[in-house]
Amino acid sequence: MAHDRVQIFQVSTLYGAATVAAALDAGQFGAPGHARRLLLVSNNAEIPETAVRIDAMTGYERIAARFDEVVDWNEAVHPHHPSSWAPRPEESPLWQRVLRTAWGLGSATVEVIVESIQVNPAKALAAVFAESAVHVYADGLMSYGPTRDELPQSIAARVRRVLHLDLVPGLRPLLLTEYGVGAELVPDDAFRAVLREIAEDGGEDGRLARAVAAAPTALLLGQYLAVLGILTGEEEEELHLRMLRGAAAAGHRSIVFKPHPTAPASYSTALHEEAARTGVTLTVLDGPLLAETFYERCRPGLVVGCFSTAMLTAAVYYGVPVARVGTGTVLARLTPYENSNRVPLTVVHHIVPDLEGAAEPAVPGAAPDGLAPLVRAVGHCMRPTAHPGLRAETLAYLAAHGTGPAAALHFPAERLAELDLRVPARTT
């Protein structure tokens, strides 16, 4: 059936696709049949040919079934890389005609739904469909931070809303607020239902079955920070070993490690050796699975990570206690200051207990009173020109919380000097 309206949903991760599916199920993009819906899949890995494709992930078919058609952005822009290609302004109308023909869009009104609007491929897609309304959905914790780069006004003026999960209940996103864009929650029950649906597809996965059979009580989440240049490979390997030692010290005797899909196999080897020394059973879950699929099948008593979104998913949607390892180290290493991982790190460091500290792992719950002021102050320091209205609030925060080691982790003296955010010395 021909439609006079088409919605193009751009996704690059299964977690993001699950967020979109939940928004669809909740009616946030209109009733079924309201528009023809295209799932536009992009593989943004540095070398796409060597990365796990989203359509190889367990549960993908369940997500894809919600759409009228699936199209491949990598194929559309080949031989260019989807993270680097964008049309020149004068070429955008030509590209729109090409894609309308290739995807059978005709003269239909198009809406685009994208992640990470400030970078390609989302930015390129919005540029190609230059008259289209744009909806942004948040793939994780980065929505709580400021927009990474300034958007062309031609795109910013068309953004209607930011859809996001309530990963930190009560905390509002900063993303795109400088353009007056409001945030809209994707309902918890809708997202949880999608996660259950994805997990049903994991029933035939032998790797998941073996992990569940080990009766683990703790899950360790690997993040490949070495590829981002934040840690060296050796330092990241040691980070994972610290996770294992901490979980073992907390009494967990059967542990699952879920490595990042692009992490080297040597990480798992070192963990197995450490597990043998520590006297715990270690199972590596290295299949194309979301961590949430594991949560559904085997509710652990602890999830450990550095600043993975899957930590907060465990706490919010499954009530699993969480703990962090290494956030202070990564915060201190993170460059440049405006690195978009800074706010996810800040949030996790503030609300998740340190596995190597005195506090017990916990379910963080609603955002504590001090979190939003901290995030807003960090956001201002990251993008001061985007949020000049937060300067006075940031100065007040810095004056109230001092400039000791804890504050310096979030507000290095060099950055404060660069922004002329000198805090008056306290009088006693």
Side-chain angles (χ1 to χ4, degrees):
M1 181 178 69
H3 285 94
D4 59 5
R5 181 176 297 276
V6 175
Q7 295 170 330
I8 302 175
F9 296 81
Q10 177 258 322
V11 301
S12 63
T13 69
L14 191 62
Y15 192 92
T19 304
V20 165
L24 280 173
D25 294 349
Q28 291 175 294
F29 288 99
H34 162 75
R36 179 182 170 211
R37 290 168 173 165
L38 269 62
L39 183 64
L40 178 62
V41 175
S42 61
N43 184 339
N44 305 336
E46 186 174 356
I47 307 175
E49 294 79 9
T50 64
V52 177
R53 292 172 54 92
I54 185 176
D55 57 8
M57 294 286 290
T58 299
Y60 165 80
E61 295 296 339
R62 297 288 191 107
I63 300 296
R66 289 170 167 81
F67 298 87
D68 297 296
E69 189 177 349
V70 177
V71 289
D72 191 310
W73 183 249
N74 292 59
E75 290 182 4
V77 302
H78 182 78
H80 303 285
H81 192 285
S83 293
S84 59
W85 179 84
R88 291 195 290 264
E90 65 273 15
E91 294 177 343
S92 289
L94 174 61
W95 270 97
Q96 183 175 152
R97 288 197 296 272
V98 168
L99 294 180
R100 280 183 177 273
T101 299
W103 298 341
L105 307 183
S107 59
T109 299
V110 171
E111 290 179 282
V112 295
I113 299 90
V114 299
E115 59 181 347
S116 303
I117 183 61
Q118 63 273 21
V119 295
N120 298 318
K123 190 175 178 182
L125 187 68
V128 167
F129 291 95
E131 308 84 22
S132 297
V134 179
H135 305 265
V136 175
Y137 69 90
D139 184 10
L141 293 170
M142 286 187 184
S143 67
Y144 294 117
T147 317
R148 187 188 312 178
D149 301 301
E150 184 177 356
L151 286 180
Q153 192 58 34
S154 59
I155 292 178
R158 293 184 282 124
V159 180
R160 299 292 183 259
R161 56 183 169 165
V162 173
L163 289 150
H164 70 105
L165 299 169
D166 204 11
L167 293 169
V168 187
L171 186 64
R172 299 285 291 175
L174 267 178
L175 181 66
L176 296 172
T177 54
E178 69 268 39
Y179 302 109
V181 178
E184 184 177 325
L185 284 172
V186 176
D188 287 351
D189 56 352
F191 186 63
R192 181 64 192 278
V194 172
L195 294 179
R196 281 195 297 269
E197 192 178 334
I198 290 173
E200 288 174 8
D201 260 20
E204 303 299 319
D205 192 294
R207 288 163 293 198
L208 178 59
R210 286 190 293 275
V212 172
T217 58
L219 173 70
L220 315 181
L221 295 164
Q223 282 181 257
Y224 195 18
L225 303 177
V227 76
L228 301 177
I230 298 172
L231 299 178
T232 66
E234 293 76 15
E235 289 169 332
E236 186 158 48
E237 187 172 81
E238 178 59 28
L239 183 69
H240 296 152
L241 295 177
R242 288 165 59 189
M243 293 180 186
L244 178 67
R245 295 183 196 117
H252 296 274
R253 312 319 301 167
S254 181
I255 297 171
V256 167
F257 174 63
K258 188 178 188 313
H260 190 278
T262 58
S266 60
Y267 284 7
S268 298
T269 302
L271 275 169
H272 277 296
E273 293 171 354
E274 185 67 23
R277 281 193 293 270
T278 313
V280 302
T281 299
L282 178 69
T283 306
V284 175
L285 183 60
D286 58 358
L289 297 159
L290 285 180
E292 290 74 15
T293 302
F294 178 80
Y295 303 156
E296 283 284 351
R297 294 288 303 278
C298 178
R299 197 68 52 85
L302 171 67
V303 171
V304 182
C306 185
F307 63 102
S308 171
T309 294
M311 298 168 66
L312 275 300
T313 311
V316 171
Y317 296 102
Y318 297 91
V320 176
V322 294
R324 59 177 169 85
V325 171
T327 55
T329 301
V330 178
L331 269 170
R333 293 284 188 85
L334 202 61
T335 56
Y337 185 85
E338 56 271 23
N339 188 304
S340 56
N341 289 305
R342 185 168 299 279
V343 164
L345 272 161
T346 297
V347 168
V348 171
H349 188 78
H350 192 77
I351 69 173
V352 175
D354 183 357
L355 184 65
E356 299 170 313
E360 290 291 320
V363 177
D369 291 342
L371 180 60
L374 170 61
V375 168
R376 288 164 66 83
V378 170
H380 172 73
C381 291
M382 289 173 68
R383 294 288 318 283
T385 57
H387 297 280
L390 294 181
R391 181 177 174 84
E393 188 179 324
T394 300
L395 280 167
Y397 183 89
L398 292 169
H401 293 85
T403 55
L409 191 62
H410 298 295
F411 307 101
E414 296 84 356
R415 187 64 172 183
L416 297 183
E418 182 182 344
L419 302 179
D420 194 24
L421 286 168
R422 289 187 288 269
V423 182
R426 293 184 179 183
T427 58
T428 57

